[in-house]
Amino acid sequence: VPYLCSTVSTGLSVYRNKTAISNFAAAGAFTGALFRMHLGLQGLAGGFMFGTAFGIPAGGLLMIMQKLAGETLQERRHRERRELYEQKLAEWQSRLSVTEVLGQMEGNAQGGPETEQA
Protein backbone atom coordinates (compact mmCIF):
# COMPACT_ATOMS: atom_id res chain seq x y z
CA VAL A 1 0.00 0.00 0.00
CA PRO A 2 2.68 2.61 0.85
CA TYR A 3 4.49 1.96 -2.43
CA LEU A 4 1.39 2.67 -4.51
CA CYS A 5 0.65 5.82 -2.54
CA SER A 6 4.26 7.01 -2.89
CA THR A 7 4.25 6.25 -6.59
CA VAL A 8 1.07 8.25 -7.19
CA SER A 9 2.28 11.14 -5.03
CA THR A 10 5.69 11.25 -6.73
CA GLY A 11 4.10 11.03 -10.16
CA LEU A 12 1.84 13.97 -9.37
CA SER A 13 4.75 15.98 -7.97
CA VAL A 14 6.85 15.38 -11.07
CA TYR A 15 3.96 16.08 -13.44
CA ARG A 16 2.94 19.30 -11.70
CA ASN A 17 6.56 20.24 -10.88
CA LYS A 18 5.70 21.11 -7.30
CA THR A 19 5.03 19.36 -4.02
CA ALA A 20 1.67 20.13 -2.45
CA ILE A 21 -0.69 18.68 0.14
CA SER A 22 -3.20 18.04 -2.66
CA ASN A 23 -0.76 15.52 -4.20
CA PHE A 24 -0.73 13.51 -0.99
CA ALA A 25 -4.50 13.80 -0.59
CA ALA A 26 -5.08 12.58 -4.14
CA ALA A 27 -2.60 9.74 -3.71
CA GLY A 28 -4.27 8.64 -0.48
CA ALA A 29 -7.72 8.90 -2.03
CA PHE A 30 -6.68 6.86 -5.08
CA THR A 31 -4.99 4.18 -2.97
CA GLY A 32 -7.87 3.96 -0.49
CA ALA A 33 -10.47 3.75 -3.26
CA LEU A 34 -8.46 1.12 -5.12
CA PHE A 35 -8.13 -1.16 -2.12
CA ARG A 36 -11.78 -0.83 -1.07
CA MET A 37 -13.17 -1.12 -4.59
CA HIS A 38 -14.10 -4.79 -4.13
CA LEU A 39 -16.75 -3.73 -1.59
CA GLY A 40 -18.77 -1.90 -4.20
CA LEU A 41 -19.62 1.75 -4.58
CA GLN A 42 -19.92 2.33 -0.82
CA GLY A 43 -16.53 0.74 -0.24
CA LEU A 44 -15.04 2.82 -3.04
CA ALA A 45 -16.40 6.03 -1.52
CA GLY A 46 -15.33 5.01 1.97
CA GLY A 47 -11.83 4.15 0.79
CA PHE A 48 -11.65 7.47 -1.01
CA MET A 49 -12.59 9.38 2.15
CA PHE A 50 -10.39 7.24 4.39
CA GLY A 51 -7.39 7.62 2.05
CA THR A 52 -7.87 11.37 1.82
CA ALA A 53 -8.18 11.65 5.60
CA PHE A 54 -4.85 9.87 6.07
CA GLY A 55 -3.08 11.33 3.04
CA ILE A 56 -3.37 14.95 4.14
CA PRO A 57 -1.67 14.61 7.56
CA ALA A 58 0.94 12.17 6.20
CA GLY A 59 1.78 14.59 3.38
CA GLY A 60 1.92 17.53 5.77
CA LEU A 61 4.28 15.61 8.03
CA LEU A 62 6.56 14.72 5.11
CA MET A 63 6.63 18.31 3.88
CA ILE A 64 7.48 19.58 7.37
CA MET A 65 10.28 17.02 7.68
CA GLN A 66 11.70 18.11 4.32
CA LYS A 67 11.65 21.77 5.37
CA LEU A 68 13.41 20.91 8.63
CA ALA A 69 16.03 18.97 6.70
CA GLY A 70 16.80 22.18 4.79
CA GLU A 71 16.09 20.98 1.26
CA THR A 72 12.89 19.72 -0.31
CA LEU A 73 12.87 16.97 -2.91
CA GLN A 74 12.03 19.49 -5.62
CA GLU A 75 14.96 21.73 -4.63
CA ARG A 76 17.26 18.72 -4.58
CA ARG A 77 16.07 17.62 -8.01
CA HIS A 78 16.69 21.12 -9.42
CA ARG A 79 20.13 21.32 -7.79
CA GLU A 80 21.20 17.93 -9.15
CA ARG A 81 19.89 18.79 -12.62
CA ARG A 82 21.79 22.12 -12.57
CA GLU A 83 25.02 20.41 -11.39
CA LEU A 84 24.74 17.81 -14.15
CA TYR A 85 24.20 20.56 -16.73
CA GLU A 86 27.23 22.50 -15.47
CA GLN A 87 29.36 19.35 -15.54
CA LYS A 88 28.35 18.52 -19.12
CA LEU A 89 28.94 22.13 -20.17
CA ALA A 90 32.45 22.06 -18.69
CA GLU A 91 33.19 18.77 -20.49
CA TRP A 92 31.92 20.21 -23.77
CA GLN A 93 34.03 23.35 -23.40
CA SER A 94 37.15 21.33 -22.60
CA ARG A 95 36.57 19.14 -25.67
CA LEU A 96 36.05 22.26 -27.77
CA SER A 97 39.33 23.78 -26.57
CA VAL A 98 41.19 20.53 -27.36
CA THR A 99 39.69 20.57 -30.86
CA GLU A 100 40.81 24.18 -31.36
CA VAL A 101 44.35 23.38 -30.18
CA LEU A 102 44.53 20.39 -32.53
CA GLY A 103 43.31 22.56 -35.40
CA GLN A 104 46.01 25.14 -34.70
CA MET A 105 48.67 22.44 -34.46
CA GLU A 106 47.52 20.97 -37.77
CA GLY A 107 47.58 24.40 -39.40
CA ASN A 108 51.08 25.06 -38.06
CA ALA A 109 52.29 21.65 -39.23
CA GLN A 110 51.00 22.21 -42.78
CA GLY A 111 52.19 25.79 -43.20
CA GLY A 112 55.10 25.80 -40.79
CA PRO A 113 58.21 25.40 -43.05
CA GLU A 114 56.88 27.68 -45.78
CA THR A 115 56.16 30.43 -43.28
CA GLU A 116 59.66 30.18 -41.81
CA GLN A 117 61.36 30.37 -45.24
CA ALA A 118 59.38 33.42 -46.36
Side-chain angles (χ1 to χ4, degrees), residues 17 76-86:
N17 199 23
R76 187 173 119 203
R77 205 171 27 241
H78 285 292
R79 179 182 50 83
E80 289 173 351
R81 195 175 297 151
R82 185 183 67 246
E83 289 172 355
L84 181 64
Y85 170 77
E86 290 170 355

Side-chain angles (χ1 to χ4, degrees), residues 71-116:
E71 185 178 45
T72 65
L73 290 176
Q74 183 179 4
E75 291 168 348
R76 187 173 119 203
R77 205 171 27 241
H78 285 292
R79 179 182 50 83
E80 289 173 351
R81 195 175 297 151
R82 185 183 67 246
E83 289 172 355
L84 181 64
Y85 170 77
E86 290 170 355
Q87 178 186 2
K88 289 188 182 229
L89 183 63
E91 289 175 9
W92 181 77
Q93 288 175 340
S94 68
R95 287 181 183 172
L96 183 61
S97 66
V98 167
T99 305
E100 289 175 355
V101 168
L102 288 175
Q104 289 173 356
M105 289 174 55
E106 184 177 295
N108 290 341
Q110 289 177 353
E114 296 173 0
T115 311
E116 291 176 9

